[in-house]
Amino acid sequence: MTPAGTAHAVDPERGTLDKAASENFPVAPFFLPRDWRTDLVAVYGFARLVDDIGDGDLAPGGADARLLGVPDDSADDRLLMLDAFEADLRRVFDGTPRHPLLRRLQPTVRRRSLTPEPFLGLIAANRQDQLVGRYETYDDLLAYCELSANPVGRLVLAVTGTSTPERIRHSDRICTALQIVEHLQDVAEDLARDRVYLPAEDMKRFHVREADLAAPRAGASVRALIAFEAGRARDLLHEGSPLVGSVHGRLRLLLAGFVAGGRAALEAIAAAGHDVLPGPPKPGKVRLLREVGATLRGEG
């Protein structure tokens, strides 16, 4: 039996895909058609691996680096790894990629006529994470979310053959909201990575210093700031929610799950008194199911 800590080093494809179970939302739930699930898992594998490279979360052993043609002694250079990963991504569209997750992605790209742009956006977001650790304004943060989050929703629409300009606009709002919610849940974890996704102008407005974010519990100012940013995310979810009603069948249930997951997470943050510093507040299954029902009914 392979020890859990070395699973990724031995089988980088399986080690990455196994992380789907720990995500805040179902990556490819059972109720979707099999071909959708196959393609969504392939897209997830790409997105998860590029995040792992950007966060420095790859397991030791150098398997991914070797697959991408990066020497073992350079595997901790995230920018170099991202450059190599981008080069391998381009082979998905005009050659034979080296990494097994990208070989898994290639049939999906061809079957769904996917373009490189959303994949390149996700790589650019992780490259930006190596160079930018603070965001001065909310607009700056939205521009980051355009790279880090919105491509995922666009890929879901493309895989399911439901893309329209209006649906993409709604999807972008939902994905940006979900990214902001994740940032709010992970304030302490992000700070440990020397990243702060709370706009500096808002921190000044609420008299919050970075040192306040390193405390074991949030003070009144931090709680007020988190509540303010949570309100922005809630508004974005509301603006994007017409996307759910614009589709039918199992896709409607999937998209309702995304919106409901964001709303349930915001409720969990509120229930914690907007104190996110001890750890990410997580919603229970009952709350999530209630939010799914409300979203399907067009409430909220």
Side-chain angles (χ1 to χ4, degrees):
M1 179 179 293
T2 301
T6 62
H8 194 288
V10 174
D11 184 353
E13 181 180 17
R14 188 72 263 151
T16 297
L17 295 177
D18 282 348
K19 295 181 181 181
S22 63
E23 298 291 350
N24 286 334
F25 52 86
V27 171
F30 70 93
F31 58 78
L32 293 179
R34 178 174 295 183
D35 59 333
W36 285 8
R37 282 187 281 135
T38 297
D39 291 338
L40 290 173
V41 167
V43 168
Y44 170 80
F46 169 89
R48 180 69 269 165
L49 181 56
V50 73
D51 279 353
D52 284 350
I53 293 172
D55 289 340
D57 285 343
L58 295 182
D64 292 288
R66 289 192 296 274
L67 286 164
L68 295 172
V70 176
D72 285 353
D73 59 1
S74 300
D76 59 348
D77 186 332
R78 299 181 195 178
L79 287 172
L80 183 61
M81 285 284 286
L82 289 168
D83 287 346
F85 192 57
E86 179 176 331
D88 209 29
L89 168 69
R90 294 186 184 279
R91 296 185 191 101
V92 170
F93 295 88
D94 61 12
T96 302
R98 296 172 175 172
H99 199 286
L101 285 170
L102 294 181
R103 290 199 295 271
R104 176 189 285 259
L105 180 64
Q106 193 168 47
T108 292
V109 163
R110 292 173 175 171
R111 184 162 48 243
R112 306 299 181 182
S113 300
L114 303 182
T115 63
E117 283 73 23
F119 300 102
L120 292 171
L122 294 172
I123 294 174
N126 279 274
R127 190 176 284 119
Q128 184 167 314
D129 276 334
Q130 314 312 310
L131 306 171
V132 180
R134 307 293 186 275
Y135 292 86
E136 181 62 31
T137 69
Y138 181 58
D139 284 343
D140 292 338
L141 184 64
L142 293 181
Y144 170 75
C145 293
E146 176 68 21
L147 297 173
S148 68
N150 297 358
V152 175
R154 296 183 182 198
L155 284 167
V156 170
L157 293 176
V159 163
T160 58
T162 54
S163 295
T164 67
E166 184 176 20
R167 284 178 178 147
I168 289 172
R169 285 194 297 273
H170 290 318
S171 172
D172 285 353
R173 286 170 172 79
I174 292 170
C175 290
T176 292
L178 294 177
Q179 179 74 88
I180 292 173
V181 170
E182 183 177 338
H183 289 160
L184 297 181
Q185 290 177 310
D186 295 341
V187 168
E189 179 182 331
D190 289 333
L191 185 64
R193 300 181 189 273
D194 195 27
R195 299 174 188 168
V196 178
Y197 295 104
L198 300 167
E201 64 179 8
D202 297 340
M203 291 178 64
K204 293 174 186 175
R205 173 181 173 183
F206 286 92
H207 307 288
V208 172
R209 302 167 301 163
E210 282 195 23
D212 299 325
L213 304 180
R217 301 301 297 261
S221 295
V222 172
R223 292 173 188 244
L225 172 60
I226 297 300
F228 176 72
E229 305 299 348
R232 282 176 155 169
R234 189 175 293 107
D235 289 344
L236 285 169
L237 283 174
H238 179 72
E239 292 169 11
S241 62
L243 175 65
V244 176
S246 75
V247 298
H248 304 282
R250 287 173 280 188
L251 178 59
R252 186 164 180 256
L253 183 56
L254 176 68
L255 298 182
F258 292 158
V259 174
R263 288 174 171 167
L266 288 171
E267 287 298 323
I269 291 172
H274 297 98
D275 184 2
V276 297
L277 299 187
K282 297 286 188 179
K285 291 185 178 179
V286 172
R287 165 57 65 183
L288 179 58
L289 289 173
R290 286 175 180 168
E291 291 294 344
V292 169
T295 301
L296 288 171
R297 293 191 297 271
E299 301 172 3

